[in-house]
Amino acid sequence: MNTYAILSLVFAVMVFPPLGVYFGNRARDQIAQTGERGAELATAGIVVGWVFTIMYVVFIVVWCAMAGTLLSGSTA
C-alpha cells in the first residue's frame, strides 16, 4: 500500500485538503512507476481534497461578504 495514498485521504478529510490533493498526485505518480496498491485511495484523496477545498473557499467568501455587509451597515 502506497504511503502517499494513505496520507492523501487522511489529509483531505481531517487536516488540510490541499495537501490531500498534493499527496494524491504524488501517490498516483509513484504507483504508476512502482505498481504498488493504493490507486483508489489516491483518487479518493484527490476528489475529497478538491471538494473540501472548494467548500472552504466558498465558506470564506460568504463569511467575508457577511462581515463586510455587517460592518458597512453599522457605520452608515
Side-chain angles (χ1 to χ4, degrees):
M1 185 67 65
N2 188 288
T3 305
Y4 281 132
I6 296 168
L7 287 175
S8 170
L9 195 55
V10 169
F11 273 85
V13 173
M14 296 183 202
V15 181
F16 189 61
L19 279 178
V21 174
Y22 170 76
F23 283 133
N25 287 322
R26 291 281 311 254
R28 289 175 79 190
D29 291 342
Q30 279 189 353
I31 290 168
Q33 290 177 356
T34 63
E36 291 178 292
R37 294 178 21 213
E40 297 85 9
L41 287 176
T43 303
I46 291 169
V47 170
V48 171
W50 275 115
V51 168
F52 279 15
T53 299
I54 291 169
M55 286 173 47
Y56 287 159
V57 168
V58 168
F59 172 76
I60 289 170
V61 168
V62 169
W63 184 81
C64 288
M66 287 177 34
T69 302
L70 289 174
L71 291 175
S72 68
S74 64
T75 58

